[in-house]
């Protein structure tokens, strides 16, 4: 049995189940500001609902590892690390953009461009194709302005476009690429369970202590500090140079 977590966006989701199957228990919560306080209680409720006696009854944890909300990713990563290290569980991760592609509706039949708002007029974007039980990464997750992302994605002829950005931006991508509009999944955690049965869609984390989510770019607070001081933010004490 696996525990799946996704707090990369505004919706936090938790699911418990087997690879490729429907969740035995699932829940979601809207509002990024609530993730830190609500995630652990959600996990406890879903484990109980699935008939699992705590983390010791799990095989491992599946996690959306970004890009996405800096704070949200840190919340789920911290919880996952604690569970994995204390209970000696497996940890497997998948990009947030892949989760959007895999859970999009109607199910895509070719390359799909998925996007997430990266702020500052830019997007996180990637092009994936799920075919013959495998994931094909045509364009790895990147950050770019909309026009630049269109240029990067165009050679792969996306058949669909989906994501978590303003409607006007989605319409712009759809029109420029001639791709169908797909509805993104309502929650990412159930999609993680389904991806567990898809080839090498999820990456096994070997060194859990050193692993960190793929934030995509520094946190907004770090950016402002660096702009104010005119130099990179120094590493925290004990974390090297």
């Amino acid at each position: 049995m696996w525990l799946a977590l996704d707090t990369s966006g505004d919706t936090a989701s938790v699911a418990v189940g087997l690879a490729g199957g429907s969740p035995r228990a699932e829940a979601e919560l809207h509002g990024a500001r609530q993730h830190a306080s609500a995630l652990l209680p959600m996990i406890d409720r879903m484990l109980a609902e699935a008939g699992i006696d705590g983390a010791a009854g799990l095989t491992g944890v599946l996690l959306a590892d970004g890009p996405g909300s800096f704070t949200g990713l840190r919340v789920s990563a911290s919880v996952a690390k604690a569970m994995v290290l204390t209970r000696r569980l497996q940890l497997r991760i998948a990009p947030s953009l892949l989760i959007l592609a895999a859970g999009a509706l109607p199910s895509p039949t070719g390359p799909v461009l998925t996007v997430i708002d990266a702020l500052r007029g830019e997007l996180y974007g990637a092009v994936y194709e799920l075919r013959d039980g495998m994931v094909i990464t045509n364009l790895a997750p990147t950050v770019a302005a909309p026009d630049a992302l269109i240029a990067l994605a165009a050679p792969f002829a996306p058949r669909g476009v989906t994501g978590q950005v303003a409607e006007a931006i989605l319409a712009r991508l759809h029109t420029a690429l001639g791709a169908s509009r797909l509805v993104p999944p309502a929650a990412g955690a159930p999609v993680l369970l389904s991806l567990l049965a898809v080839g090498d869609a999820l990456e096994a984390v070997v060194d859990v202590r050193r692993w960190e989510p793929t934030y995509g770019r520094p946190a907004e607070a770090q950016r402002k500090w660096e702009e104010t001081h005119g130099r990179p933010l120094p590493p925290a004490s004990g974390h090297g140079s």
Side-chain angles (χ1 to χ4, degrees):
M1 198 68 63
W2 293 82
L3 170 68
L5 307 175
D6 183 1
T7 59
S8 61
D10 189 61
T11 298
S13 61
V14 177
V16 180
L18 299 173
S22 298
R24 290 196 181 182
E26 60 179 303
E28 59 188 71
L29 175 69
H30 301 283
R33 294 182 181 275
Q34 303 180 68
H35 292 183
S37 61
L39 186 58
L40 283 174
M42 285 175 66
I43 291 172
D44 288 341
R45 289 199 309 273
M46 292 307 98
L47 290 177
E49 188 174 316
I52 306 298
D53 186 18
L58 294 170
T59 299
V61 178
L62 312 177
L63 193 64
D65 84 326
S69 162
F70 187 89
T71 302
L73 290 169
R74 287 185 67 87
V75 168
S76 57
S78 298
V79 170
K81 280 187 170 186
M83 295 179 68
V84 167
L85 291 171
T86 57
R87 296 295 182 177
R88 297 184 179 180
L89 305 176
Q90 298 181 46
L91 176 61
R92 298 189 187 181
I93 57 176
S96 308
L97 292 161
L98 172 58
I99 294 169
L100 289 175
L105 294 173
S107 297
T109 57
V112 177
L113 170 63
T114 60
V115 291
I116 297 173
D117 190 358
L119 304 177
R120 309 176 212 167
E122 294 182 316
L123 305 172
Y124 297 121
V127 177
Y128 293 103
E129 183 176 0
L130 279 74
R131 187 175 66 197
D132 300 327
M134 300 294 292
V135 173
I136 300 170
T137 303
N138 292 313
L139 176 64
T142 187
V143 59
D147 286 344
L149 184 59
I150 289 169
L152 289 170
F156 305 108
R159 299 284 299 277
V161 174
T162 191
Q164 299 170 339
V165 296
E167 171 62 27
I169 295 176
L170 282 173
R172 182 176 172 186
L173 298 173
H174 154 73
T175 302
L177 294 167
S180 300
R181 290 283 298 276
L182 306 176
V183 178
V191 181
L192 280 164
L193 289 175
S194 67
L195 281 172
L196 193 56
V198 179
D200 57 353
L202 285 96
E203 176 187 352
V205 177
V206 177
D207 190 346
V208 175
R209 294 183 185 276
R210 292 182 177 273
W211 169 82
E212 290 292 337
T214 303
Y215 296 113
R217 65 178 1 153
E220 191 69 8
Q222 178 177 339
R223 181 186 69 84
K224 291 180 178 178
W225 191 97
E226 292 176 346
E227 285 184 353
T228 300
H229 294 81
R231 58 188 173 89
L233 182 69
S237 176
H239 287 74
S241 57

